[in-house]
């Protein structure tokens, strides 16, 4: 138990320090925004670029792992949409935004550091396999569904253009695509440039965790608590449970599967709120789900780590 606590708590302490600093006014709201811009648009794309450009695609891309994780994610998306519509009577556009909250787990800011502390840096190939298509996959599903609901009269070509424009304005996706391009073409990178990117990479996770804590100060659990609680339950229980069960059926090696389950078991990511905000739908549910899910993830992540061994 002590070892598990030592794995989970340091990650949430960094997040908590950011929350406390913003709450007490030791760091301004503008500074928090600056940290998040640096981490989300520069440092994390560098982290993804380097990791994916150096990934052994032949060994790391276990299709069984990807199927287990993403069937779980789609199950969460479907459960979120149907629950929002038939349990809570939300409009369809709200339902898509709520489903996206259940689809987009915090694979980077929480899943990566917790997996690293639990299973070591050498195990992270499984995480990067998932992360390499996480943003493109989730945004493709979410934006396509939302654009179809919002613009039923649009042609397929117009919908496709709207989807691609929204996806490729995302810095995380750009970092992933460039990393894959370097990996597949075998392009060599100058050592000096690689060292510079590595410096950025080292700052990515601590900066993002601290900044995320500062961002959470802005969100308060006010209203729509039942809907947000449903989102949290789907994110923290259904998604990892489907990933674990399907992974065992498909024969995913346990040392690989456990990283996938930990990634699936994370709270909704910041992108879930950004998606809701982008469309102006279900923002309060997304913000409350993000806050409650991140708080409860301290306990549920420990439980999942204990179950996984």
């Amino acid at each position: 138990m002590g070892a598990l606590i030592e794995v989970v708590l340091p990650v949430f302490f960094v997040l908590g320090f950011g929350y406390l600093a913003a709450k007490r006014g030791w760091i301004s709201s503008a500074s928090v925004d600056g940290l998040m811009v640096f981490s989300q648009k520069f440092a994390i794309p560098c982290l993804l670029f380097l990791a994916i450009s150096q990934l052994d695609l032949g060994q790391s891309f276990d299709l069984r792992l990807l199927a287990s994780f993403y069937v779980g994610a789609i199950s969460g998306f479907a459960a979120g949409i149907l629950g929002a519509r038939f349990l809570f009577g939300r409009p369809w556009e709200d339902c898509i935004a709520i489903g996206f909250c259940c689809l987009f787990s915090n694979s980077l800011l929480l899943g990566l550091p917790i997996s690293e502390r639990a299973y070591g840096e050498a195990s992270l190939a499984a995480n990067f396999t998932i992360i390499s298509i996480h943003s493109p996959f989730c945004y493709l599903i979410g934006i396509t569904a939302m654009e179809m609901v919002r613009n039923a009269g649009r042609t397929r070509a117009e919908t496709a253009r709207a989807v691609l424009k929204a996806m490729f304005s995302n810095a995380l996706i750009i970092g992933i695509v460039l990393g894959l391009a370097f990996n597949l073409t075998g392009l060599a990178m100058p050592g000096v440039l690689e060292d510079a990117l590595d410096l950025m990479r080292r700052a990515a996770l601590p900066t993002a965790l601290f900044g995320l804590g500062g961002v959470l100060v802005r969100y308060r659990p006010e209203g729509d608590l039942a809907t947000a609680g449903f989102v949290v339950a789907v994110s923290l229980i259904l998604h990892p449970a489907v990933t674990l069960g399907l992974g065992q059926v498909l024969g995913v090696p346990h040392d690989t599967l456990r990283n996938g389950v930990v990634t699936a078991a994370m709270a909704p990511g910041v992108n879930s709120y950004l998606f809701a905000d982008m469309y102006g739908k279900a923002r309060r549910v997304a913000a409350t789900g993000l806050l409650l899910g991140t708080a409860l993830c301290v306990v549920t992540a420990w439980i999942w780590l204990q179950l996984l061994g």
Side-chain angles (χ1 to χ4, degrees):
M1 182 181 294
L4 290 172
I5 291 173
E6 289 174 7
V7 166
V8 174
L9 284 187
V11 172
F12 287 95
F13 274 142
V14 175
L15 190 150
F17 292 151
Y19 186 94
L20 182 64
K23 185 76 172 176
R24 292 299 182 94
W26 298 335
I27 183 171
S28 68
S29 179
S31 297
V32 170
D33 288 337
L35 281 176
M36 291 306 287
V37 168
F38 169 75
S39 63
Q40 298 268 10
K41 294 189 176 181
F42 297 97
I44 291 178
C46 289
L47 169 85
L48 294 175
F49 171 78
L50 286 175
I52 292 168
S53 67
Q54 298 165 2
L55 202 61
D56 186 338
L57 298 178
Q59 282 195 334
S60 300
F61 266 70
D62 189 330
L63 293 179
R64 297 169 301 173
L65 172 66
L66 292 174
S68 302
F69 181 89
Y70 285 107
V71 167
I74 291 173
S75 299
F77 184 59
I81 292 173
L82 295 175
R85 182 66 177 177
F86 297 109
L87 292 179
F88 303 105
R90 304 293 293 238
W92 279 115
E93 291 183 27
D94 281 14
C95 294
I96 301 300
I98 291 167
F100 192 85
C101 294
C102 301
L103 172 72
F104 205 107
S105 56
N106 201 333
S107 59
L108 266 173
L109 306 192
L110 295 180
L112 201 59
I114 289 175
S115 295
E116 182 177 12
R117 290 190 59 79
Y119 306 124
E121 188 174 354
S123 74
L124 295 183
N127 293 68
F128 285 119
T129 298
I130 291 169
I131 291 168
S132 66
I133 63 172
H134 192 224
S135 289
F137 178 89
C138 292
Y139 273 103
L140 179 63
I141 296 292
I143 293 172
T144 300
M146 183 65 85
E147 292 296 334
M148 288 176 67
V149 168
R150 293 178 75 219
N151 301 287
R154 274 190 180 184
T155 65
R156 291 181 182 178
E158 289 172 332
T159 301
R161 280 196 295 271
V163 170
L164 291 173
K165 181 180 178 181
M167 284 180 61
F168 285 96
S169 60
N170 187 301
L172 302 180
I173 294 177
I174 293 170
I176 289 167
V177 170
L178 289 176
L180 284 171
F182 268 74
N183 191 309
L184 293 172
T185 59
L187 288 173
M189 190 184 309
V192 175
L193 177 58
E194 187 171 350
D195 288 344
L197 292 174
D198 187 60
L199 286 173
M200 297 278 281
R201 175 191 67 82
R202 294 180 197 178
L205 292 179
T207 303
L209 282 171
F210 189 90
L212 177 59
V215 167
L216 289 177
V217 171
R218 303 170 187 174
Y219 306 141
R220 291 175 175 80
E222 50 184 9
D224 292 322
L225 285 177
T227 312
F230 178 78
V231 167
V232 171
V234 170
S235 299
L236 301 186
I237 300 172
L238 177 64
H239 186 181
V242 172
T243 300
L244 177 60
L246 185 57
Q248 290 175 335
V249 169
L250 295 177
V252 180
H254 183 70
D255 287 353
T256 300
L257 180 59
R258 64 189 183 185
N259 287 63
V261 175
V262 168
T263 304
M266 295 298 102
V270 175
N271 281 287
S272 63
Y273 178 78
L274 297 179
F275 183 88
D277 188 56
M278 179 170 67
Y279 287 106
K281 301 296 179 183
R283 282 179 288 201
R284 190 163 61 180
V285 174
T288 304
L290 172 61
L291 180 61
L292 293 180
T294 303
L296 289 173
C297 195
V298 178
V299 177
T300 57
W302 176 82
I303 293 171
W304 280 110
L305 286 170
Q306 193 168 42
L307 290 172
L308 293 166

